[in-house]
Amino acid sequence: LPDNLKALFRPVAMMVPNYALIGEIQLKSYGFDKGRELAEKIVATYKLCSEQLSSQGHYDYGMRAVKAVLSASQQLKGEMEGQSETA
């Protein structure tokens, strides 16, 4: 960009969110006792998928996909009350 346009923008620092921490908090809010363990498993699964499966544009292994799995787990927890969380 030209210098006169650069002067109009401020520098911004961005970082990758901690998916495991976000997942843990979400699972704990849904009532899961082992939220940390489950969140780490979910994040590890998606990380392996993004590294080992083909990199086609329509595949999504980001926070949106993790959030979808967490939301589905909330529904399943309600349907399967009293069963083990880690089964």
Side-chain angles (χ1 to χ4, degrees):
L1 288 173
D3 288 335
N4 60 348
L5 280 178
K6 283 184 187 178
L8 298 174
F9 296 101
R10 287 189 273 171
V12 176
M14 298 180 75
M15 48 194 272
V16 177
N18 185 344
Y19 290 176
L21 180 62
I22 295 169
E24 176 188 353
I25 293 168
Q26 197 88 39
L27 287 170
K28 290 278 188 178
S29 73
Y30 295 156
F32 285 89
D33 296 327
K34 298 180 180 181
R36 175 173 290 165
E37 180 183 331
L38 294 171
E40 288 173 357
K41 286 181 180 181
I42 292 169
V43 170
T45 301
Y46 273 98
K47 185 175 183 218
L48 285 172
C49 287
S50 68
E51 291 171 356
Q52 295 182 359
L53 297 177
S54 64
S55 59
Q56 296 182 17
H58 59 274
Y59 289 155
D60 179 21
Y61 302 112
M63 192 65 217
R64 182 179 302 151
V66 172
K67 176 79 168 107
V69 170
L70 296 175
S71 297
S73 69
Q74 179 186 19
Q75 286 181 320
L76 288 173
K77 180 164 177 59
E79 294 172 7
M80 300 179 168
E81 197 66 37
Q83 292 186 1
S84 173
E85 295 177 358
T86 58

